[in-house]
Amino acid sequence: MFGTRRPLRRALSLGLPTAWGATAITYKLACPLAQQDGLGARLVTSAVFFVVGTGLIQHVRQTLLRELKQARRIAGAAQSVLLRPLPPRVEGLDVAAARLSADRGACVGGDLYEVIATEHGVRVVMGDVRGHGLPALGTVAALLGSFREAVHDEPDLDGVLRRLERALARHLRERHRAEHPASGRPPDTPVAEEFVTVLLLEIDAEGGVRALNCGHPWPYLLRGTEVGPLARSEPLPPLGPFPLPPELTATHCGHLRRGESLVLYTDGAEDVRDARGRFFPLAETLTKAVHDHPVSPEQILRTVFGALLRHTAGRPTDDVALLALRNERAHQPANGTRGTARPATTRPRPTTYP
């Protein structure tokens, strides 16, 4: 099927411009009217060449649009594989995540997130790669691939973060070699302007929360009708421009008790402005959402995205990613073995907000 379509498309892409050009040349050389110098003959000749030129431009435009749509479909499929739908529940935690793109025609962004159950606890990553497009998508792939391996291998969060740092540095070196093959040697600081904000969370069987934050906004903790930052300590610099310090100590953020939720987000959720230049009030929106009754992760996402679209009149100026977790564990065991595999997705949650 596809093998017969490609030669046909290639033939059309070459044949139609050739036919238009042949028509113009034939008219100019063979038509007696084209040899005359009268005003009427000149008008007819101009009209013929105008039609030929318009046809060529329209053909080129249609070809470019078709190729752009194909590239977007491929890029969207690639990102869907990377940001695979999260399972609805991981080790007693209800989970939902979604993205909102600032450009309705763009399928590729630099947001990344994942939730995985391991023997060390449920581990979560939320990150934001600088930039958009295929370069950002390559960085997302490198970091998520490293995270999905490291969370099972590393007993402590600092080991996971160092693995992510090495994966990012390796990816940027390889990208520099691909973009500058004539340099012949790896740079000291490859793609120096690239950086990634990363937040790592670990939630143990008792609900204890530990975190390592590299330049990312702290999540909001929803406790009853109260909404506040999970922590207020100063985060580390983003990954990329500066090396991690020799000593890394995870921040202890208390416990996520039954019925409480965490909302992780990228900075676009608070930096986006309305027509009057006012920032989106994310904390206030979350407070209104939980004012009357507890809400599920899906309801949190619907509420925030609905309010955000109203705030921006349907035209957000930055990409936004949200990840919500709610503790629905019936009990908090003192000890026990957690699942080491990522649970199967029985009812996948969408990763892109419609």
Side-chain angles (χ1 to χ4, degrees):
M1 181 77 175
F2 292 102
T4 58
R5 283 184 179 178
R6 288 182 180 177
L8 180 60
R9 286 181 179 175
R10 289 179 181 176
L12 288 174
S13 64
L14 295 175
L16 289 178
T18 303
W20 282 109
T23 301
I25 294 172
T26 301
Y27 171 80
K28 184 65 178 176
L29 296 178
C31 182
L33 188 61
Q35 312 301 323
Q36 300 179 15
D37 292 332
L39 179 60
R42 290 181 180 178
L43 289 176
V44 173
T45 300
S46 299
V48 170
F49 278 93
F50 176 77
V51 170
V52 170
T54 302
L56 285 172
I57 293 172
Q58 186 67 14
H59 173 74
V60 171
R61 179 176 178 275
Q62 292 297 329
T63 300
L64 292 177
L65 286 175
R66 188 165 53 247
E67 292 178 353
L68 178 61
K69 289 179 181 178
Q70 173 103 3
R72 283 176 171 172
R73 281 196 298 268
I74 294 173
Q79 185 150 41
S80 296
V81 172
L82 289 175
L83 290 179
R84 56 195 181 187
L86 298 179
R89 176 166 289 201
V90 179
E91 292 294 307
L93 302 176
D94 285 354
V95 180
R99 295 173 51 247
L100 177 64
S101 176
D103 182 359
R104 290 304 179 113
C107 297
V108 180
D111 302 327
L112 61 102
Y113 48 77
E114 181 63 288
V115 180
I116 300 178
T118 75
E119 62 180 334
H120 315 295
V122 175
R123 287 178 165 177
V124 184
V125 64
M126 170 68 84
D128 190 358
V129 177
R130 177 186 177 274
H132 303 275
L134 292 179
L137 186 61
T139 305
V140 169
L143 290 173
L144 280 180
S146 177
F147 175 80
R148 288 164 179 161
E149 290 290 332
V151 290
H152 294 291
D153 298 338
E154 301 292 338
D156 299 313
L157 275 186
D158 64 313
V160 177
L161 186 58
R162 293 192 189 281
R163 290 271 290 269
L164 295 184
E165 181 188 43
R166 291 196 296 271
L168 176 62
R170 183 168 55 250
H171 166 73
L172 293 181
R173 284 195 300 269
E174 292 171 353
R175 202 177 94 189
H176 180 87
R177 290 193 190 99
E179 295 174 351
H180 306 88
S183 61
R185 59 188 178 84
D188 295 331
T189 56
V191 199
E193 295 182 355
E194 292 293 335
F195 64 86
V196 184
T197 65
V198 173
L199 173 71
L200 294 180
L201 292 182
E202 180 181 279
I203 305 172
D204 62 28
E206 292 77 34
V209 181
R210 288 174 290 278
L212 280 173
N213 190 347
C214 291
H216 202 82
W218 283 108
Y220 281 108
L221 172 63
L222 281 56
R223 175 171 290 164
T225 58
E226 297 179 357
V227 175
L230 177 65
R232 298 183 182 275
S233 60
E234 191 70 21
L236 297 166
L239 290 182
F242 306 101
L244 290 173
E247 297 293 331
L248 281 175
T249 303
T251 301
H252 290 266
C253 305
H255 285 72
L256 184 68
R257 301 183 179 89
R258 178 175 170 81
E260 296 176 349
S261 300
L262 289 175
V263 178
L264 290 71
Y265 61 96
T266 55
D267 57 6
E270 288 189 321
D271 292 347
V272 67
R273 300 171 185 250
D274 63 7
R276 298 169 59 182
R278 295 174 300 181
F279 291 106
F280 177 66
L282 179 58
E284 179 182 333
T285 302
L286 292 172
T287 301
K288 291 179 180 178
V290 299
H291 183 266
D292 297 326
H293 54 79
V295 291
S296 67
E298 295 91 342
Q299 290 172 308
I300 291 173
L301 264 55
R302 284 196 295 268
T303 300
V304 172
F305 280 127
L308 193 147
L309 289 172
R310 289 192 297 272
H311 181 79
T312 60
R315 295 186 296 272
T317 55
D318 197 1
D319 296 341
V320 177
L322 290 177
L323 170 61
L325 305 102
R326 179 178 172 85
N327 188 354
E328 291 293 348
R329 292 168 176 169
H331 62 281
Q332 304 286 2
N335 51 42
T337 303
R338 272 79 71 184
T340 59
R342 193 177 191 273
T345 303
T346 55
R347 292 182 292 112
R349 299 291 188 257
T351 56
T352 303
Y353 193 77

